[in-house]
Amino acid sequence: MGAVPVSPTPPAGAPRFDLPEIDAFTRPYWDAAAEGRLLIRRCADCGRAHHYPREFCPYCWSEEVVWEEASGAATLYTWSVVHRNDLPPFGARVPYTAAVVDLAEGPRMMTELIETPVGGPCVGMRLRVAFRATEGEVPVVPVFRPLPA
C-alpha cells in the first residue's frame, strides 16, 4: 500500500480551525492587527492587563476594561514544534512552532513563533510581534519572531 499524506492540503471551502469569527467586541482587535498593531485589554480598576480580549477583567471581574496598544515586545515562555496536525489548514504548515510568550505589558499570549534561529528557540528569547496574512474576514494574525542577537 502506498504512503498516505498525514496532513493533506485542505480542499477549497473546507472548514478552517485557525481563524476566529469576528464580532462587534473583537472588531477593534482585528482592525488594529490589520494596521500592524497589537491590542490588549487593561482594567481601569485593578490596573492589570490581560490577553485574550475579554469584556471583563479576569483578575477582579470589573467591567471597566479598555483597549490598549501593546509595545509588541515579548519573551519566549515555552514552545513546542508541531509535526502533525490534521486540522485544516495547519496540516499544510507543519512543522511549525506553537509558542506561549510573555508580553512586555504582563499578559501571556498563545501564538506562533516564526523565523526560528538555526539553534532553535530558547526560553527567555526576546521577540517582536509580526503579522501573518490570512484569507477571509481576518486579514492578519499576530505571530512573533526573534529579535536579532
Side-chain angles (χ1 to χ4, degrees):
M1 184 191 282
V4 176
V6 174
S7 301
T9 301
R16 293 190 58 150
F17 298 92
D18 63 329
L19 300 176
E21 291 183 23
I22 296 176
D23 59 22
F25 171 70
T26 60
R27 170 89 38 213
Y29 179 85
W30 296 110
D31 288 348
E35 297 169 358
R37 299 180 302 118
L38 178 64
L39 296 185
I40 57 175
R41 299 280 280 175
R42 185 168 301 274
C43 178
D45 286 341
C46 74
R48 294 181 73 178
H50 61 271
H51 186 81
Y52 64 93
R54 287 164 260 201
E55 296 185 54
F56 62 91
C57 175
Y59 304 106
C60 73
W61 300 97
S62 170
E63 293 181 3
E64 299 301 316
V65 289
V66 295
W67 292 106
E68 174 183 300
E69 186 169 346
S71 66
T75 56
L76 184 60
Y77 176 74
T78 191
W79 79 94
S80 179
V81 178
V82 178
H83 293 278
R84 181 177 178 170
N85 188 334
D86 294 332
L87 295 175
F90 296 107
R93 295 201 304 243
V94 293
Y96 62 90
T97 305
V100 177
V101 302
D102 288 327
L103 299 176
E105 293 77 13
R108 272 199 181 131
M109 178 178 176
M110 294 178 61
T111 186
E112 183 178 343
L113 183 62
I114 61 169
E115 301 172 12
T116 316
V118 174
C122 63
V123 169
M125 174 184 286
R126 293 177 47 224
L127 307 169
R128 172 58 89 195
V129 72
F131 295 90
R132 182 180 53 229
T134 67
E135 299 171 4
E137 187 181 5
V138 179
V140 297
V141 293
V143 295
F144 284 79
R145 67 168 44 107
L147 287 174

